[in-house]
């Protein structure tokens, strides 16, 4: 269907596509629609296929015009976007559905003019990316990091033993408690009861934060505890309230940590013969993690510098998609559904829109950085050879013990779609190597390992 079209750029990387369809083509499409209905419609008083056109139009005129318009819209837009000569940069993003800008009327004695608005990929001209200077923290793996990791290993290998009868609960004891809230008359509040709740005293891993109140209590002892919670307490239902809780210690145990010696190292893994072997492995792992984190931080800071001279007008649909993905990932991390997570947010005094608003600056920054990376890889014509992908797969499978497992992994990565992801990853690493080589990275202030890698991992 011959048409004329005009593209008008709009803000936030949207465009308006204005299309003109000749009145002859409009009439032809409408006539075809009427002809199809005449053959199939059933109206009382007329045989199938014998309904006069004027009767059909008199009875269903407005609906027929609406349907004809929708068919024309769909047909014309599809033809335009599937046309190989239509500029790629003016085609809609996969997740941006073109929307009509004021629906026109179907008038047969004039050409049909309509416009659709949709998002396109932002046009980017990357600013200077060489000769920049960034600063990253001066961090190294210290003895305190090794000790912290060893202490975690001792905790994981601890033996839990019953405390002696009559022993008083102290910090780091493992306590089992039964508890409930009490009303003003001292009766249990229905639904607040909890049986056999286990936690480590002093960890704070309990709803009412009654660790200190249990210190000194003995197995079998019951205590009524009255606590007033601040207005900003994490659990909204208890914030700015005074609550009385009845707690009974039903079991009291202590943790016996293993000695820090060669036996512990051998218990962790048979490949370790001495404690020094275990310490060396920990240092190596933490050092590799630190090296990767500092490299990622360096790349991030370089891209931040590039962003300062690279304006990018993000389309709203792209930002929405990113925020939706982040929310779904958050729900998965909490092993729940998006709907349940929204409900839980409400219980903390926050809502989804507030959360998305808080996330938005970081989401936009991440999207812009990603677009700079993709643009640079394209502008620099970075490519990956078959030999490079083969070497990458070999490195991935090199540490695997079973040959069958290694072969299965090779087959997985040799799938066409997976292979493309692998090539993109290699190209990205090539670009990052160039970014670190072409820019100056200086050390900033000294910081501890946990300051930049929470969790000592």
């Amino acid at each position: 269907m011959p048409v004329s079209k005009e593209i008008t750029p709009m803000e936030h990387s949207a465009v308006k596509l204005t299309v003109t369809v000749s009145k002859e083509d409009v009439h032809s499409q409408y006539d075809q629609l009427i002809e199809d209905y005449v053959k199939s419609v059933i109206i009382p008083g007329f045989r199938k296929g014998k309904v006069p056109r004027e009767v059909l139009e008199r009875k269903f005129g407005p609906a027929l015009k609406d349907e004809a318009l929708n068919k024309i819209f769909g047909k014309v837009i599809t033809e335009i976007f599937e046309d190989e000569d239509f500029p790629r940069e003016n085609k809609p993003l996969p997740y941006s559905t073109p929307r009509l800008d004021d629906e026109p009327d179907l008038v047969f004695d004039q050409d049909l003019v309509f416009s659709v608005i949709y998002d396109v990929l932002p046009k980017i001209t990357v600013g200077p990316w060489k000769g920049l200077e960034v600063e990253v923290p001066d961090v190294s793996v210290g003895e305190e990091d090794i000790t912290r990791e060893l202490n975690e290993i001792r905790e994981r290998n601890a033996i839990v033993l019953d405390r002696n009868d009559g022993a008083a609960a102290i910090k780091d004891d493992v306590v089992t408690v039964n508890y409930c809230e009490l009303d003003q008359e001292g009766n249990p509040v229905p639904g607040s009861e909890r049986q056999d709740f286990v936690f480590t005293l002093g960890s704070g891993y309990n709803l009412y934060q009654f660790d200190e109140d249990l210190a000194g209590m003995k197995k079998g002892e019951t205590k009524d505890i009255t606590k007033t919670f601040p207005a900003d307490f994490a659990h909204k239902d208890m914030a700015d309230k005074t609550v009385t809780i009845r707690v009974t210690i039903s079991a009291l145990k202590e943790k016996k940590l293993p000695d820090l010696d060669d036996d512990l190292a051998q218990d962790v893994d048979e490949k370790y013969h001495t404690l020094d072997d275990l310490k060396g492995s920990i240092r190596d792992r933490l050092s590799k993690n630190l090296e990767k984190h500092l490299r990622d931080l360096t790349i991030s800071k370089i891209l931040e510098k590039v962003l300062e001279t690279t304006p990018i007008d993000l389309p709203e649909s792209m930002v929405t998609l990113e925020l939706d993905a982040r929310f779904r990932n958050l729900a998965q991390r909490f092993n729940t559904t998006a709907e349940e997570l929204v409900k839980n947010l409400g219980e903390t005094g926050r809502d989804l829109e507030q959360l998305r608003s808080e996330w938005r600056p970081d989401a936009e920054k991440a999207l812009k950085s990603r677009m700079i990376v993709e643009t640079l890889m394209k502008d620099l014509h970075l490519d990956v050879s078959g030999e490079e992908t083969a070497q990458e797969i070999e490195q991935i499978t090199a540490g695997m013990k079973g040959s069958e497992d290694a072969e299965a992994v090779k087959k997985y990565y040799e799938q066409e779609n997976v292979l493309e992801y692998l090539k993109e990853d290699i190209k990205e690493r090539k670009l990052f190597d160039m970014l670190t080589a072409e820019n100056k990275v200086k050390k900033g202030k000294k910081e501890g390992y946990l300051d930049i890698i929470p969790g000592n991992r």
Side-chain angles (χ1 to χ4, degrees):
M1 184 186 298
V3 299
S4 65
K5 48 193 175 293
E6 179 184 356
I7 292 287
T8 305
M10 303 177 69
E11 64 177 357
H12 305 314
S13 296
V15 299
K16 178 190 284 189
L17 170 62
T18 302
V19 178
T20 301
V21 183
S22 70
K23 58 186 177 183
E24 292 80 13
D25 284 328
V26 171
H27 220 298
S28 174
Q29 291 293 313
Y30 180 75
D31 289 344
Q32 183 62 54
L33 179 68
I34 295 295
E35 184 179 331
D36 292 341
Y37 270 117
V38 166
K39 293 177 181 178
S40 61
V41 74
I42 298 175
I43 295 179
F46 299 93
R47 286 183 296 158
K48 183 178 180 180
K50 298 297 182 180
V51 179
R53 173 176 176 144
E54 57 270 18
V55 172
L56 191 65
E57 290 184 298
R58 186 168 60 249
K59 191 173 182 65
F60 302 108
L64 290 170
K65 284 188 174 184
D66 286 344
E67 185 173 347
L69 275 174
N70 288 331
K71 284 183 176 294
I72 292 170
F73 294 156
K75 183 178 176 64
V76 170
I77 292 299
T78 299
E79 288 180 355
I80 289 174
F81 292 152
E82 290 181 351
D83 185 356
E84 293 183 359
D85 293 329
F86 188 71
R88 182 179 179 84
E89 64 271 16
N90 288 330
K91 291 187 177 182
L93 294 170
Y95 38 82
S96 175
T97 303
R99 63 187 186 279
L100 273 172
D101 182 35
D102 294 331
E103 186 168 340
D105 294 324
L106 190 62
V107 181
F108 295 115
D109 60 355
Q110 63 186 41
D111 294 341
L112 172 65
V113 180
F114 68 93
S115 299
V116 292
I117 296 173
Y118 54 86
D119 292 337
V120 296
L121 197 65
K123 296 178 181 178
I124 302 174
T125 301
V126 179
W129 59 276
K130 297 181 181 181
L132 305 174
E133 183 178 295
V134 296
E135 181 178 288
V136 296
D138 183 7
V139 188
S140 59
V141 177
E143 287 302 319
E144 67 277 10
D145 302 307
I146 308 297
T147 299
R148 185 165 48 246
E149 184 75 8
L150 288 170
N151 287 336
E152 290 183 13
I153 292 173
R154 293 180 73 198
E155 286 284 344
R156 292 196 295 270
N157 287 272
I159 299 173
V160 180
L161 303 172
D162 287 326
R163 293 286 305 275
N164 294 329
D165 290 340
I170 59 175
K171 186 177 181 298
D172 295 329
D173 277 353
V174 178
V175 295
T176 303
V177 298
N178 304 325
Y179 65 80
C180 66
E181 287 187 31
L182 301 178
D183 61 20
Q184 292 183 349
E185 286 73 37
N187 300 313
V189 175
S192 68
E193 301 92 345
R194 183 72 183 271
Q195 300 292 315
D196 298 327
F197 178 73
V198 182
F199 72 102
T200 300
L201 200 63
S203 66
Y205 292 154
N206 58 85
L207 177 64
Y208 298 99
Q209 306 287 287
F210 45 43
D211 296 61
E212 292 184 3
D213 303 282
L214 301 190
M217 288 180 62
K218 301 174 183 179
K219 177 181 175 181
E221 188 175 345
T222 298
K223 184 177 184 180
D224 290 350
I225 302 165
T226 299
K227 297 184 74 72
T228 299
F229 299 100
D232 60 351
F233 193 63
H235 299 280
K236 182 182 176 184
D237 293 342
M238 293 161 55
D240 206 23
K241 288 184 178 180
T242 298
V243 179
T244 299
I245 314 104
R246 176 165 293 165
V247 186
T248 299
I249 295 182
S250 58
L252 186 60
K253 301 175 183 289
E254 62 178 334
K255 286 189 291 187
K256 290 290 187 181
L257 300 179
D259 292 333
L260 201 56
D261 55 18
D262 295 345
D263 289 337
L264 174 62
Q266 292 163 16
D267 287 340
V268 171
D269 195 303
E270 61 184 14
K271 67 181 178 181
Y272 304 128
H273 299 293
T274 66
L275 181 60
D276 286 340
D277 291 341
L278 176 58
K279 288 181 177 179
S281 176
I282 292 172
R283 184 180 295 278
D284 183 59
R285 174 170 56 82
L286 296 184
S287 296
K288 287 180 179 178
N289 287 343
L290 178 60
E291 181 182 359
K292 180 182 182 304
H293 188 87
L294 289 177
R295 174 181 165 85
D296 292 345
L297 185 60
T298 299
I299 297 300
S300 177
K301 287 183 173 291
I302 292 173
L303 291 174
E304 283 180 12
K305 286 276 189 178
V306 179
L307 263 173
E308 293 174 3
T309 56
T310 307
I312 301 176
D313 195 9
L314 290 174
E316 188 60 30
S317 59
M318 184 181 288
V319 179
T320 298
L321 189 72
E322 174 69 14
L323 291 173
D324 288 345
R326 291 186 178 212
F327 190 74
R328 287 195 301 272
N329 290 338
L330 181 63
Q332 288 176 358
R333 287 203 301 272
F334 282 102
N335 195 29
T336 186
T337 63
E339 293 76 14
E340 190 64 26
L341 186 55
V342 170
K343 180 181 176 182
N344 293 338
L345 276 174
E347 294 175 355
T348 64
R350 304 169 73 194
D351 58 32
L352 179 57
E353 287 310 308
Q354 181 182 354
L355 186 65
R356 290 169 70 93
S357 178
E358 293 171 3
W359 283 353
R360 190 179 182 96
D362 186 62
E364 290 185 353
K365 177 183 170 183
L367 285 170
K368 291 177 179 181
S369 296
R370 184 66 214 164
M371 297 192 75
I372 288 175
V373 168
E374 291 175 351
T375 303
L376 282 175
M377 289 193 298
K378 181 180 177 181
D379 292 348
L380 295 170
H381 306 290
L382 296 181
D383 203 1
V384 179
S385 67
E387 182 181 354
E388 286 175 311
T389 54
Q391 289 176 350
E392 183 74 11
I393 294 173
E394 286 295 330
Q395 288 180 7
I396 292 172
T397 59
M400 295 185 175
K401 296 180 180 179
S403 58
E404 292 183 3
D405 291 340
E407 193 60 35
V409 171
K410 283 184 180 181
K411 288 182 179 180
Y412 169 76
Y413 277 105
E414 286 167 357
Q415 297 178 77
E416 185 175 350
N417 58 332
V418 180
L419 196 60
E420 286 305 310
Y421 280 114
L422 186 61
K423 287 181 178 180
E424 285 298 307
D425 187 55
I426 297 171
K427 281 198 295 185
E428 187 177 274
R429 293 206 303 268
K430 285 185 176 183
L431 174 64
F432 290 170
D433 287 342
M434 295 175 67
L435 289 176
T436 53
E438 295 288 350
N439 295 287
K440 182 178 179 181
V441 182
K442 69 175 185 178
K443 290 184 177 182
K445 67 175 183 178
K446 275 192 169 295
E447 292 190 26
Y449 188 95
L450 287 186
D451 293 329
I452 63 169
I453 308 183
N456 199 30
R457 292 284 177 254

